[in-house]
Amino acid sequence: MEKLAQKIVEAHGNLADWQTFNSVTATLKQGGALWGMKGHAGKLDDTSVTVGLKDEWASHAPFGPSGKVSFFSPGSVILKDGDRKVLEELKNPRASFAGHRLETPWSELQLAYFAGCAMWTYLNMPFLLARPHVVTSPLTDWTENGVTWQRLQVTFPDHIATHSRVQTLYVDADGLLKRHDYDVEIAGNTPGAHYVSDYVEVQGFKFPTTRKIFPRGPDGQSLPDPLVVSIDLSDIKLART
């Protein structure tokens, strides 16, 4: 692993210990302009999310007020009812976003894909840096509001479903993640600046519990409005089964 990548991973916890767990679950509260723009205001405001730490998958329960449950993987998105009976499935889901722009509405299955893909990325970061075929490279430092952060460019292989193939991490002097930039390919390559804060320690690992995502301008600066997505996490638990 590249030197800065290793520093970032070690700042958040022991990699060997992380690799003994299979999933992480958290209570999730969300807000921001995106959900209403996509036609799903309030649907995932208050839910629980579980993501895989070995294979790429995520599940939201409940998925909306009717108590559905979602299951995301790169090749398929499924919605089930409260008794786990399959209601709908979308195979090769990423292809369904072809031609989408930021304002293009999503189906429920597309919402489940985005939410699953996003939370899998966030809750696995920065340990994704140690995965095979993930390539990292340091960038020049970045100063924002009088504070200087180190930056790491991350290039993901095609088989990992995430916001964009190339992303940028910003970390403080201790290696803790402070900002995470990407372009949301499935929403017209919309550029985002994702800030993380309010770390807690859970089972020996550091997790940010507050996430706020803003638009990112051509100069790399984040824009103050709108607040695209807000995420608050609590009750985080890692599991080996």
Side-chain angles (χ1 to χ4, degrees), residues 63 69-70 77-81 85-88 108-109 112:
F63 185 88
V69 177
S70 68
V77 180
I78 298 171
L79 290 178
K80 299 181 180 182
D81 65 16
K85 177 184 177 182
V86 174
L87 300 172
E88 291 183 274
E108 277 201 328
L109 286 164

Side-chain angles (χ1 to χ4, degrees), residues 15-73:
L15 177 61
D17 288 347
W18 179 266
Q19 291 172 336
T20 68
F21 291 95
N22 287 315
S23 66
V24 61
T25 298
T27 298
L28 179 61
K29 292 185 181 295
Q30 297 184 121
L34 179 72
W35 315 107
M37 187 183 306
K38 292 299 188 179
H40 298 284
K43 190 162 288 180
L44 294 177
D45 278 4
D46 195 348
T47 184
S48 174
V49 63
T50 301
V51 307
L53 303 183
K54 292 185 169 65
D55 297 327
E56 184 174 2
W57 61 269
S59 177
H60 284 77
F63 185 88
S66 59
K68 296 177 185 178
V69 177
S70 68
F71 188 86
F72 149 83
S73 67

Side-chain angles (χ1 to χ4, degrees), residues 131-231:
R131 290 204 170 208
H133 312 299
V134 173
V135 178
T136 61
S137 177
L139 300 172
T140 56
D141 290 353
W142 175 269
T143 300
E144 186 168 325
N145 297 323
V147 178
T148 298
W149 294 328
Q150 291 180 283
R151 294 192 301 164
L152 185 73
Q153 181 176 282
V154 185
T155 303
F156 290 94
D158 290 339
H159 67 268
I160 290 181
T162 183
H163 289 310
S164 55
R165 191 159 183 263
V166 178
Q167 304 182 22
T168 302
L169 304 183
Y170 300 65
V171 299
D172 66 13
D174 295 323
L176 285 178
L177 186 63
K178 307 301 289 184
R179 175 175 158 176
H180 179 187
D181 286 0
Y182 41 74
D183 300 327
V184 185
E185 292 175 350
I186 62 174
N189 288 306
T190 302
H194 176 157
Y195 292 88
V196 305
S197 59
D198 300 323
Y199 274 84
V200 297
E201 187 162 320
V202 178
Q203 295 165 255
F205 301 96
K206 291 181 179 176
F207 289 90
T209 59
T210 302
R211 297 172 174 273
K212 295 184 185 299
I213 301 155
F214 296 93
R216 189 179 79 250
D219 60 356
Q221 301 286 345
S222 62
L223 306 177
D225 322 280
L227 173 59
V228 181
V229 173
S230 66
I231 298 170

